[in-house]
Structure formats: structure tokens, C-alpha cells
Amino acid sequence: VQNTDKYGFINRNEDWDRKNDIIFVGDSYAQGQCVKNNENLKYLFEKENLNILNLAIGGSGSLISNAIYREYSQKDVKTIIWFFYEGNDLIELEEEISNVFLRKYIDNRIFKHNLLQKNKELDLFLEDYHNKLVSKSKKNIADWESNVFKLNKLRNQFYRALEYMFGKNDNVVYQGDLENFVKIFEIFYSEIKSNNQELYFVYLPEHARYLDRKNNYIRDIHRSKIKNLITKDY
């Protein structure tokens, strides 16, 4: 179980009122999903007497990470660590870029929804959204029970795994929106520099890289292009 702060991140509420050294952005790896609280990255860094504000959220692609940084980042924190996961960050970006709301963070470099000041509104919205989901799930309980007994989801995952293992989709196993990632990175980096902050970019390899070597040429192309991008002299 992960305890979250008043904004939904895995910090303590008092972490927002102190002087922080580093901000994390990224997805579940940086957030520490499925990791014990005393073993996640935030805890390990803080054992070294570094104050961490963790703004990572599971399922975040590059555009959501940029939006979170713009809305919640503390400008007096000098170091930003962006955890990029090779496995799905570019793929998730394909969906994010089609979201009209999220596109505003690209189309307008100063766009903010001022979420820090609208936290009560967000809480009410999320509570209402949660209640609707619960109500909907109760209405569909029969379908849910049917799926459990038929193991439909497990079967689907099994079939997807077989396709993956036997290479029926060799050319689409690892794809992603590299073109828009370049745009987002340049926007993200310019914001960080304008705030006199320093960016550390952590490239996390996908575990399949070591199991599915026949598709590594695609991963290597993307990794090489991303490396050239982040080491460019801006």
C-alpha cells in the first residue's frame, strides 16, 4: 500500500513545505509501484540525506510528465531527474498526443491549469468519478462474474504473450511516437533551463531487450536518436 500526499503523489504532505533537493518525474518505475515503501527510490535517496519530491505517476508518458512538471514543480529545486522507460513511454505518448486537453501543454508553452490552486475541485471531481465507476461496476457485476469464471482476461493476456514470443508482429513490437517526443523534450528542457534547473535523464531499458533480441534494432535506433537529442548542445 502506498500512502499519497494531498495532491496524489507518493510524498508526505510536509514534503511540500520544506526545501527539496531533487524532483522526480516519470512513470511507475520512478513512483515505486509494487515496491515496499522502504525500498523505493525516494526512500533510498532520502537515506543519503537528499530531500526528494516525487512527481512520478504510473502510466505517465512524456507529455503527462511535462504537464505534471509544469503544474506541480517547485522552481527553487535545482535538480530534476526524468526517468524514461524504453518499454512504453513512446507508445503511451501516441495516446497522450491525441488528447485535446494534454495537447494544450504543447501548443501553448505557458499553458497551465493551475491545479495546485484547484485541489479541492479535483478531489470533488475524482470522488464523483469514483462513485460513478463503482455504480457502473455494480450494474455489470454479472459480466464481471462471467469473465472471472471464463478467465477471459487471462486468456487474452496468454494469447498476446504467445504472439509476442513467436514474433507474429515483429515490426510492431516496439514502436512509438519519436517525432512528438522530440518536440516535448525540447519544450520540457527549455522550461527546466528557464527555471535555472538542471536535468538528469535516466533511460530505463525494457526487460524484453534482453529476451527479444531480434527486435533490438528498433529499440537501438530509438535509443540512439534519444541519446543524440538529450546530449545536443542547446
Side-chain angles (χ1 to χ4, degrees), residues 107-123:
D107 298 335
N108 183 346
R109 294 193 177 204
I110 63 171
F111 171 78
K112 285 182 66 174
H113 207 66
N114 296 314
L115 296 180
L116 277 171
Q117 287 74 45
K118 298 179 179 178
N119 202 44
K120 290 184 178 180
E121 294 177 42
L122 278 173
D123 285 345

Side-chain angles (χ1 to χ4, degrees), residues 6-66:
K6 55 188 174 183
Y7 301 116
F9 302 103
I10 60 160
N11 306 291
R12 300 167 292 268
N13 283 335
E14 56 267 28
D15 292 352
W16 292 87
D17 301 320
R18 70 183 180 182
K19 171 69 176 176
N20 287 299
D21 301 299
I22 300 173
I23 288 176
F24 289 168
V25 293
D27 62 5
S28 56
Y29 282 91
Q31 182 183 6
Q33 284 188 2
C34 303
V35 177
K36 294 179 181 178
N37 291 330
N38 63 347
E39 294 178 357
N40 64 32
L41 284 173
K42 176 180 170 69
Y43 176 84
L44 295 175
F45 270 68
E46 291 187 338
K47 278 185 67 176
E48 302 300 322
N49 297 317
L50 292 166
N51 290 337
I52 306 298
L53 190 66
N54 194 338
L55 302 184
I57 290 289
S60 299
S62 303
L63 182 50
I64 288 180
S65 292
N66 187 190

Side-chain angles (χ1 to χ4, degrees), residues 88-144:
N88 58 21
D89 276 15
L90 294 180
I91 296 170
E92 289 169 343
L93 179 55
E94 293 178 335
E95 182 176 350
E96 292 175 355
I97 208 73
S98 64
N99 184 292
V100 175
F101 177 80
L102 289 174
R103 284 231 30 129
K104 294 180 180 179
Y105 291 93
I106 299 179
D107 298 335
N108 183 346
R109 294 193 177 204
I110 63 171
F111 171 78
K112 285 182 66 174
H113 207 66
N114 296 314
L115 296 180
L116 277 171
Q117 287 74 45
K118 298 179 179 178
N119 202 44
K120 290 184 178 180
E121 294 177 42
L122 278 173
D123 285 345
L124 291 173
F125 171 80
L126 291 172
E127 183 178 358
D128 179 63
Y129 180 69
H130 171 75
N131 291 336
K132 287 179 179 177
L133 286 180
V134 170
S135 177
K136 183 178 179 180
S137 67
K138 289 179 178 178
K139 292 179 182 178
N140 297 326
I141 192 67
D143 292 336
W144 179 83

Side-chain angles (χ1 to χ4, degrees), residues 181 185 189 199 201 203 225-232 234:
F181 174 79
F185 178 85
Y189 186 68
L199 173 66
F201 188 89
Y203 189 97
K225 289 182 177 179
I226 290 173
K227 181 180 178 180
N228 291 337
L229 173 67
I230 65 176
T231 56
K232 180 180 174 182
Y234 287 90

